[in-house]
Amino acid sequence: MAWEDELFAYLDDLEGQAAALYDAERAPDLLDRSRTAYQEVTLSSRLVASTDLELTLELVGVGAVTGRLTRVGDGWSLLRGPGQEWVVPHHAVAAAHGVSDRSVPEVAWPALTRLSLTAALARLADGAEPCALHLTDGRRHDGTLLRVGADFVELAAGAAARVVLVATAHLAAVQSRPGAAA
């Protein structure tokens, strides 16, 4: 073997060792960057990526709710199950099963995801659909939504249709049965 070939082989070996050392030093940095980037991923962004999937959400004060995720809004989701719909504020989600491995960054969300929880509840009030308001402490109020305030809903509850105000901060889910009689 000529001395030039030996020199080039030696230089190739050194270059390979340098690349390996660079990769070894860079790996922890890449891992740290990956962890930091993932810390920006929100529950909402994972749920947006899970639209049209069958999910189970474990809700504080309610337990497990299963249905097809049909809509995600600003801080809430809509699950449709057999004969019922669940409007779920994200603050009440303790765990989610069956979600996509992906996430969708907020800049790529459809315009409908900008709708607030109060907008979704106003739709129920406009439809005068019977519903059950499940609270994060396990209590429940059945009736018909009348109006939606800035941070509460007004419900006509029971046969006497007494008015109950419920703070949206304590809602775990609103369960409705479209087409059911009040």
Side-chain angles (χ1 to χ4, degrees), residues 33-97:
R33 285 184 188 189
S34 174
R35 286 180 182 146
T36 300
Y38 195 74
Q39 290 174 353
E40 302 297 319
V41 175
T42 63
L43 174 64
S44 294
S45 68
R46 290 289 299 271
L47 291 174
V48 168
S50 302
T51 301
D52 291 327
L53 294 179
E54 189 79 14
L55 303 181
T56 299
L57 300 179
E58 294 177 25
L59 306 178
V60 176
V62 177
V65 172
T66 299
R68 181 164 302 282
L69 180 63
T70 59
R71 181 164 294 157
V72 178
D74 184 14
W76 63 277
S77 292
L78 176 66
L79 273 81
R80 286 201 168 112
Q84 62 187 346
E85 295 180 342
W86 294 86
V87 175
V88 177
H90 292 167
H91 68 258
V93 176
H97 305 270

Side-chain angles (χ1 to χ4, degrees), residues 142-174:
D142 294 302
T144 303
L145 285 179
L146 300 174
R147 296 186 290 188
V148 179
D151 60 354
F152 70 96
V153 294
E154 190 174 292
L155 181 78
R162 73 186 193 295
V163 174
V164 177
L165 302 181
V166 177
T168 53
H170 295 285
L171 279 178
V174 178

